[in-house]
Amino acid sequence: MHKFNLFTAGKKLEDAKKVLILLHGRGGSAEDIISLSGYLDVEEYALLAPQATNNTWYPYSFMAKPNENEPWLSSALDIVGEAVKVATNAGIPKEQIYFAGFSQGACLTLEYVTRNAAQYGGVAAFTGGLIGDKIYRDNYTGDFNGTKVFIGTSNPDPHVPVERVYATANILKEMKADVTEKVYENMGHTINQDEINTANSLIFGNNV
């Protein structure tokens, strides 16, 4: 299973009041996703980026039946939980813990926060949705209490159907998240400048 291998950047935890947990995509790395922070307004944040074993959080599509991605999926969720513990053990409250992920990392981000809904600092998911062949509503409990969530995606996207993005947004809204979703026609499987600008204005920019 995944070993807890955490990369850090930005402010030292003991000096930071806010933490951003970054989750890389399939085939990516912690260093890759940390480089995304250079485009985000997070200069005052401690950055925590766990590294997936073999650079992949779970083996199959996020749209596969959950048991087909086990035991890797549960292990990946545990790793995100360990990163959250690093922050909370350093005295950072959940209201000052932020999340961002791309592709497989965005799916894992959304799955973790929705299974563990609370008032977080904010969530930016660049091309992702809740995990499973369908949405298993019983997996998701808690109250986001107005946490701001941004989900950006392409239509079409080769990995993430736009219908799953909308369904994911609806679940989060039910759970009291303040969700903004943006769909970009034929963007491709990438992150564009408008997504960066939107994440900064909605999630990060007013909080530095």
Side-chain angles (χ1 to χ4, degrees), residues 2-6 50-51 53 78-84 86:
H2 295 289
K3 293 180 180 178
F4 187 51
N5 185 10
L6 189 68
Q51 172 65 52
T53 299
D78 288 344
I79 291 294
V80 182
E82 287 298 315
V84 170
V86 168

Side-chain angles (χ1 to χ4, degrees), residues 143-176:
D143 186 334
F144 283 107
N145 195 27
T147 299
K148 290 184 182 295
V149 179
F150 171 64
I151 308 174
T153 196
S154 175
N155 183 30
D157 180 88
H159 305 290
V160 180
V162 71
E163 293 81 10
R164 178 56 60 91
V165 173
Y166 288 132
T168 297
N170 288 337
I171 294 292
L172 271 70
K173 289 172 185 175
E174 281 180 26
M175 297 171 68
K176 310 277 179 61

Side-chain angles (χ1 to χ4, degrees), residues 31-81:
E31 293 102 322
D32 291 340
I33 198 70
I34 282 175
S35 70
L36 175 65
S37 68
Y39 301 92
L40 302 174
D41 293 338
V42 293
E43 293 84 1
E44 297 300 314
Y45 293 56
L47 308 177
L48 306 179
Q51 172 65 52
T53 299
N54 300 322
N55 303 94
T56 299
W57 291 112
Y58 43 84
Y60 301 113
S61 164
F62 87 110
M63 297 286 288
K65 292 181 179 179
N67 66 312
E68 294 178 5
N69 275 315
E70 293 294 359
W72 290 99
L73 175 57
S74 290
S75 178
L77 290 165
D78 288 344
I79 291 294
V80 182

